Amino acid sequence: MKACTRSAYGSADVLQVRDIELPTPADDQVLVQVRAASNDRGVWHMMTGLPLVMRPVIGLRAPKVQVLGRAFAGVVTAVGSRVTKYGPGDEVFGTTNAGSWAEYTVAPERLIAPLPSAVSFEQGASLGCSGTSALQAVRVGDVRSGQRMMVIGAGGGVGSFVVSLAAQRGASVTAVCSASKRELVTSLGAEDVVDYAEEEVDARGQRYDVIVDCAGNRPLSLLRRALKPGGALVSVGGEDHPGRLTQGFQWQMLRPLAGVFVRRRVRSVIGKEGGEDLVELGRMIAAGELTPAITRTYSLVEAPDCMRDLAGGHPAGKLVLAIS
Ligand SMILES: NC(=O)c1ccc[n+]([C@@H]2O[C@H](COP(=O)([O-])OP(=O)(O)OC[C@H]3O[C@@H](n4cnc5c(N)ncnc54)[C@H](OP(=O)(O)O)[C@@H]3O)[C@@H](O)[C@H]2O)c1
């Protein structure tokens, strides 16, 4: 099969689309013909091996798994002896630790869900990491109808889903993004847009019930000023931190502790993949309640270009590979 692989950590230049052996499913895994896969910041972390604190898990000197990618959608072609929920011909979506940027992958039952017939393979592939993290962020923030909410990094993979999900719940959403994404976030349901190159998030004096932060590069004191008393800050992530060892990952962990001092509810999302959240997102798309913001589709041989577009730091919505 064809797969996008790498044998060393580095930039998109280390990626090679080449022929490799088909994977064999373990007892608890399904073998899937991948129809679409998606890109996200987590895939970039796996490619670069950064932050270094991840290396004991993903491979100290070189990646343990050569195929890149996590989220996917496709058709089951074979199952392991302990698989009970799926059989050949079933359409599924979710994530895998075995690499999804390939014509075939293997995944355990717990990380996948049935793909509803009204959901395309590209849409299903967009949900695995970004959609589930966004749903968990909206849930952690307890976003409700009538609330005033701000999404920072609103035009990216997670942020675009957060805007849609919050608007769907009836919140009034202010999206913080670059000017190039104004149209995108408005189409997803944002009522107001803050271009962060022109003004800071607290400049208008507006106060929010919930802020979901997908950019992670503003001080807590500033975000506190933009929250109502009793409001919630939900920290998803951010890439703007120097230092190869942790790249600011510790702040994602420590922000909730700081919440005690700023007298606001401060929570971090540690995305959980698979399970009921996939089922819920699939149901919402099938019901017309959610449309993933897929802005560009690439072929498998264009996978390095897809990664270069994400690595620039300003991708719009979800970038997807259409594989077969
Ligand atoms: N906690 C978890 O479980 C979890 C799960 C998934 C992702 N994450 C993390 O969450 C972060 C976002 O992920 P993602 O997949 O959405 O990334 P992404 O698709 O790469 O999008 C990042 C977005 O941030 C925007 N941005 C860049 N600088 C900004 C700034 N100063 N202010 C506001 N927006 C800015 C970019 O576009 P514009 O600048 O053009 O607006 C882009 O749309 C990443 O750090 C990722 O690792 C965490």
Side-chain angles (χ1 to χ4, degrees):
M1 68 168 186
K2 287 228 174 314
C4 177
T5 70
R6 82 278 199 235
S7 51
Y9 294 119
S11 71
D13 295 343
V14 301
L15 301 181
Q16 277 186 300
V17 179
R18 63 187 180 95
D19 289 317
I20 61 168
E21 292 296 317
L22 231 72
T24 307
D27 288 353
D28 65 338
Q29 290 179 328
V30 298
L31 177 66
V32 177
Q33 183 188 18
V34 180
R35 301 291 301 275
S38 68
N39 199 357
D40 63 72
R41 263 290 153 182
V43 181
W44 179 88
H45 287 294
M46 302 294 277
M47 180 185 76
T48 56
L50 297 173
L52 293 172
V53 73
M54 296 169 36
R55 294 273 184 106
V57 177
I58 65 171
L60 279 180
R61 292 182 180 281
K64 288 180 191 164
V65 178
Q66 294 215 343
V67 180
L68 204 62
R70 289 188 63 77
F72 70 94
V75 183
V76 174
T77 58
V79 299
S81 59
R82 287 198 282 118
V83 171
T84 55
K85 292 189 202 146
Y86 302 99
D90 288 347
E91 296 182 349
V92 296
F93 71 113
T95 52
T96 176
N97 297 322
S100 66
W101 291 13
E103 289 175 325
Y104 288 83
T105 190
V106 289
E109 274 185 302
R110 67 184 165 78
L111 291 183
I112 60 175
L115 185 75
S117 57
V119 179
S120 70
F121 287 113
E122 284 80 6
Q123 289 176 323
S126 74
L127 298 172
C129 301
S130 308
T132 47
S133 302
L135 183 59
Q136 287 153 27
V138 167
R139 197 182 287 140
V140 166
D142 192 20
V143 176
R144 280 171 279 132
S145 179
Q147 284 185 329
R148 196 174 281 278
M149 178 186 180
M150 172 174 270
V151 184
I152 305 176
V158 179
S160 59
F161 274 115
V162 174
V163 172
S164 297
L165 291 166
Q168 213 280 329
R169 286 183 175 213
S172 166
V173 179
T174 296
V176 180
C177 56
S178 61
S180 64
K181 303 203 169 74
R182 176 179 290 273
E183 211 173 306
L184 173 72
V185 295
T186 305
S187 74
L188 298 173
E191 291 178 14
D192 199 8
V193 180
V194 170
D195 171 2
Y196 64 79
E198 297 293 326
E199 54 181 324
E200 201 29 285
V201 300
D202 63 339
R204 297 179 190 175
Q206 187 61 258
R207 298 288 174 265
Y208 299 90
D209 298 290
V210 183
I211 297 177
V212 175
D213 183 12
C214 303
N217 52 5
R218 285 166 182 83
L220 194 55
S221 54
L222 188 154
L223 298 177
R224 179 192 189 278
R225 278 199 297 280
L227 276 171
K228 290 180 184 172
L233 169 64
V234 182
S235 189
V236 175
E239 299 297 326
D240 207 11
H241 300 281
R244 288 159 53 87
L245 182 60
T246 62
Q247 288 190 319
F249 183 67
Q250 72 276 25
W251 303 124
Q252 170 79 359
M253 298 294 106
L254 292 175
R255 259 188 177 180
L257 293 179
V260 175
F261 302 102
V262 299
R263 284 190 252 146
R264 300 289 187 273
R265 287 183 292 135
V266 182
R267 305 278 185 270
S268 286
V269 170
I270 309 293
K272 290 189 199 68
E273 294 176 3
E276 287 306 306
D277 288 346
L278 285 177
V279 175
E280 172 62 3
L281 291 164
R283 184 202 65 72
M284 290 182 76
I285 297 178
E289 297 168 7
L290 176 70
T291 304
I294 297 170
T295 59
R296 188 157 172 205
T297 305
Y298 305 74
S299 66
L300 185 55
V301 292
E302 293 172 323
D305 294 331
C306 177
M307 183 49 84
R308 285 184 191 100
D309 289 347
L310 181 120
H314 304 278
K318 288 298 297 175
L319 310 181
V320 168
L321 304 179
I323 294 187
S324 55

